[in-house]
Amino acid sequence: MRRLKRIFPCCLAVFLFLVLSRAGALAGNERGASTGPTAAKGSVPSDQYLHVPPVKIAPNMEPVIPHPDQAKQVADKLAALERKFGKKPNIVVFLLDDVGWMDVGFNGGGIAVGNDTPTLDAFASQGLILTSAYSQPSCSPTRATIMTGQLPVHHGLQYPPMYGQAGGLEGAVTLAKLLSDQGYVTQGVGKWHMGENEGSQPQNVGFDDFRGFLSVSDMYTEWRDIYYNPEIALNPARFAMLEKSDFNHNDVHCVKGQPCQAVGLIDLDTIKTLDQEWSAYAEKFLRDQAGGKKPFFLYYGTRGCHFDNYPNDAYAGKSRSHTSYGDCMVEMDAVFGRLMQALTDSGQLENTLVLFTSDNGPEGEVPPYGRTPFRGYKGTTWEGGVRVPTFAYWKGVIAPRKSEGLFDLADIFPTALSLAGKPGAALATLLPADRYVDGIDQASFLLAEKGDSNRRSVLYWMATQFAAVRIDEFKYHQVVQITDMIAKKGWNAGFSGGVVDKTGLEVLFNLYTNPQEDAIVGIRHLPVAGILQQEMLRYEMEVLPKFPANFKLPGG
């Protein structure tokens, strides 16, 4: 009811706007200013949809902006590739940890911020750079969104489960499971953090094989470090408590149908070598797939560059910044290069879609950390927390370009299944009727020549709260986080601020003129604010009553 009260004024504004616009059209469609009409024709970018109603394609799927011509072009292209290679395309998702939008050179960072990323920049320049790609505010929610195609309100992982807390993918229909059903070899490598309980482990949610750790980097190290946590590391009783605590302390190997096996204990020394060991494991997997009859899905989640970064000896001091974070970025650039070289050497690059991205924006509490030109950090729904560096690469298929079309990491789920032969509404046939897909099939966007996004809006969730919406360049907030609201000193950022859920009616920003989100423009854009509020109302009144919120907080 609070939502209806808040939105009514702007719904009225939209109604009046439409009436006045219609009157203007009847009067000659006059546009201009107080000085008189204008002869300027203006322009309508093909991927702006404020004025375009989306189309519902299935009861349990988000509505889309259809582009029939580009969809036909891509269907023909995929059919030709399947005839050439004799199988569906391979899919690689390469997911960095806590890396900001401007940490990479292809977004203006790289060498300019003290960590060269020449390999990433080279492949990005030969692919499709997505300047408005969105994660969730933190790690586990994003990873589960990729795996399920659902927003946290539906998949249930609103927060990262830590130190044995409950919460995970158990019971979910995952991307790995559905691709496996379509005949794919499914391999996971690196960071998991989607539940340690047996039912949520990778080998039990669709992966044939997994090598990595089940939680998050700092959980294995922070309590061991006498500089970061002397209160525990130098207190034998407390240290013993953490050593015996109920979480998996190991790098593990998991095979479908079997329990995970420990490869080795993770401590302050072994943490340094994980990314190198994991990349070697993934390289071998890729080379072993050469000549195989089945396509493969590789989900690769790096350890880097989540705090605390303990640089591998081969990379310590190798960045221009000489910081642990900068050194980590240089190592991640090399890791990506190793996997791409394995695809090249094994002759599989021309039949493989590679998606590069990060699980959220930079973590702002523990320096040194990543960079973003936007407001906010990991843990918030400001652009800095959720707009992430992203590109799609497919040799000979994706032409070099940049796009401002909206892309949510939830879109990876339906897009991958589209490549596997289940495009658009066909995906709904693979899911129970009670599973809502928040992702949108973006195969035609990524693969068509000058393709446009099929997504009209991005919906931002902050844990259990519906926080914001973006359409085109406009973003409306109804819940925000103020990072220094509670304390002005200490490490303040996304997980240490205060949440404001009683914002004004017109908290609207133009992300083109004000990407820092610190100059509200709502009062001069009432019709726009109304349309964005109506989009939130659509989801609250049409989607959530039929597909209710699934809140499974850690410890709950």
Side-chain angles (χ1 to χ4, degrees):
M1 192 65 189
R2 181 176 72 88
R3 165 63 44 209
L4 291 173
K5 289 179 180 178
R6 287 168 57 90
I7 287 181
F8 177 76
C10 274
C11 288
L12 178 61
V14 173
F15 173 75
L16 292 173
F17 170 73
L18 294 175
V19 170
L20 292 172
S21 296
R22 178 61 177 164
L26 294 175
N29 196 27
E30 185 175 284
R31 294 175 295 126
S34 59
T35 55
T38 179
K41 294 182 178 179
S43 66
V44 182
S46 61
D47 59 356
Q48 290 191 348
Y49 307 132
L50 190 72
H51 60 293
V52 181
V55 175
K56 193 73 175 173
I57 61 171
N60 61 339
M61 298 182 73
E62 271 288 270
V64 306
I65 302 294
H67 300 288
D69 291 344
Q70 72 182 35
K72 174 65 164 56
Q73 177 192 142
V74 168
D76 292 344
K77 186 181 292 188
L78 290 172
L81 286 165
E82 187 169 2
R83 289 192 296 270
K84 178 180 178 180
F85 292 102
K87 58 183 178 181
K88 300 291 185 184
N90 309 311
I91 302 163
V92 174
V93 174
F94 188 92
L95 184 65
L96 290 176
D97 199 341
D98 287 4
V99 170
W101 193 92
M102 208 172 72
D103 283 329
V104 289
F106 64 81
N107 278 342
I111 189 172
V113 294
N115 48 247
D116 301 44
T117 53
T119 307
L120 291 170
D121 300 344
F123 281 103
S125 70
Q126 299 166 43
L128 169 58
I129 298 172
L130 301 172
T131 55
S132 285
Y134 287 88
S135 69
Q136 297 307 306
S138 65
C139 159
S140 300
T142 293
R143 293 164 196 271
T145 288
I146 291 172
M147 278 296 141
T148 64
Q150 296 181 311
L151 295 174
V153 65
H154 282 130
H155 64 58
L157 273 174
Q158 281 80 38
Y159 298 106
M162 299 289 291
Y163 291 98
Q165 289 175 316
L169 285 181
E170 185 171 11
V173 179
T174 69
L175 176 58
K177 173 64 167 63
L178 293 183
L179 286 176
S180 180
D181 291 345
Q182 300 305 310
Y184 275 68
V185 177
T186 54
Q187 175 70 59
V189 177
K191 177 179 177 178
W192 181 245
H193 213 184
M194 289 178 276
E196 286 196 25
N197 60 298
E198 186 176 353
S200 296
Q201 291 172 5
Q203 79 279 17
N204 295 322
V205 294
F207 283 96
D208 297 320
D209 187 271
F210 174 83
R211 167 70 189 277
F213 59 49
L214 296 178
S215 193
V216 58
S217 189
D218 60 301
M219 210 170 84
Y220 304 102
T221 61
E222 63 179 355
W223 50 276
R224 297 177 179 274
D225 195 306
I226 63 173
Y227 296 105
Y228 295 136
N229 273 271
E231 301 90 344
I232 295 176
L234 294 178
N235 184 316
R238 292 175 177 177
F239 188 83
M241 173 190 70
L242 265 295
E243 279 191 309
K244 297 173 184 176
S245 59
D246 188 23
F247 69 91
N248 192 305
H249 294 246
N250 301 298
D251 181 18
V252 299
H253 179 219
C254 313
V255 177
K256 185 176 287 186
Q258 302 175 26
C260 293
Q261 301 295 319
V263 175
L265 180 70
I266 303 172
D267 58 25
L268 296 178
D269 288 323
T270 58
I271 195 80
K272 298 178 181 180
T273 63
L274 287 181
D275 278 308
Q276 293 301 308
E277 293 175 19
W278 293 347
S279 57
Y281 195 89
E283 279 184 282
K284 184 179 185 303
F285 167 77
L286 292 173
R287 296 180 191 279
D288 288 347
Q289 298 310 301
K293 295 182 179 180
K294 290 185 174 183
F296 66 79
F297 168 53
L298 171 62
Y299 172 79
Y300 191 101
T302 65
R303 187 222 60 80
C305 293
H306 192 290
F307 76 93
D308 295 297
N309 289 294
Y310 296 91
N312 183 282
D313 290 344
Y315 290 93
K318 288 297 181 71
S319 67
R320 297 173 66 89
S321 66
H322 293 88
T323 66
S324 59
Y325 187 88
D327 295 344
C328 177
M329 282 299 302
V330 170
E331 183 178 3
M332 295 307 99
D333 184 75
V335 166
F336 183 81
R338 287 175 63 175
L339 301 192
M340 298 304 286
Q341 192 62 51
L343 287 170
T344 301
D345 293 345
S346 60
Q348 299 177 97
L349 201 59
E350 294 181 0
N351 196 38
T352 303
L353 171 66
V354 179
L355 289 167
F356 165 91
T357 190
S358 178
D359 64 347
N360 43 249
E363 192 283 328
E365 274 107 345
V366 183
Y369 44 74
R371 281 65 51 113
T372 178
F374 308 112
R375 180 177 180 176
Y377 299 97
K378 171 184 179 179
T380 76
T381 48
W382 299 111
E383 292 296 285
V386 291
R387 202 193 298 197
V388 288
T390 304
F391 70 82
Y393 174 88
W394 190 341
K395 184 178 180 180
V397 176
I398 296 177
R401 65 189 181 104
K402 283 188 177 183
S403 175
E404 246 290 283
L406 299 182
F407 187 92
D408 192 292
L409 297 191
D411 299 344
I412 292 175
F413 179 92
T415 300
L417 286 159
S418 180
L419 299 187
K422 298 295 180 179
L427 171 59
T429 65
L430 305 180
L431 298 166
D434 65 350
R435 303 300 168 93
Y436 193 75
V437 180
D438 293 294
I440 287 171
D441 178 3
Q442 297 275 35
S444 70
F445 173 32
L446 301 183
L447 307 184
E449 184 179 357
K450 299 180 180 179
D452 287 328
S453 176
N454 300 289
R455 171 174 286 279
R456 183 174 189 247
S457 67
V458 170
L459 307 176
Y460 304 70
W461 282 81
M462 184 189 302
T464 60
Q465 294 179 292
F466 196 2
V469 61
R470 176 182 175 183
I471 299 177
D472 298 345
E473 71 268 41
F474 294 103
K475 181 178 177 183
Y476 170 77
H477 292 262
Q478 69 176 13
V479 178
V480 298
Q481 196 206 60
I482 308 302
T483 56
D484 63 350
M485 182 177 179
I486 297 173
K488 303 299 181 183
K489 297 180 181 180
W491 292 340
N492 293 327
F495 291 121
S496 48
V499 175
V500 177
D501 62 358
K502 292 180 175 62
T503 57
L505 285 173
E506 310 302 341
V507 184
L508 181 76
F509 297 98
N510 183 324
L511 297 176
Y512 287 172
T513 60
N514 180 229
Q516 292 79 26
E517 295 176 276
D518 58 6
I520 293 174
V521 299
I523 198 64
R524 268 292 169 212
H525 294 79
L526 291 178
V528 172
I531 292 171
L532 270 66
Q533 290 177 335
Q534 189 65 32
E535 176 67 353
M536 296 186 86
L537 188 63
R538 171 193 69 83
Y539 198 82
E540 288 187 328
M541 302 302 290
E542 296 178 18
V543 176
L544 292 182
K546 297 176 183 176
F547 303 92
N550 174 24
F551 293 144
K552 297 185 299 186
L553 303 182

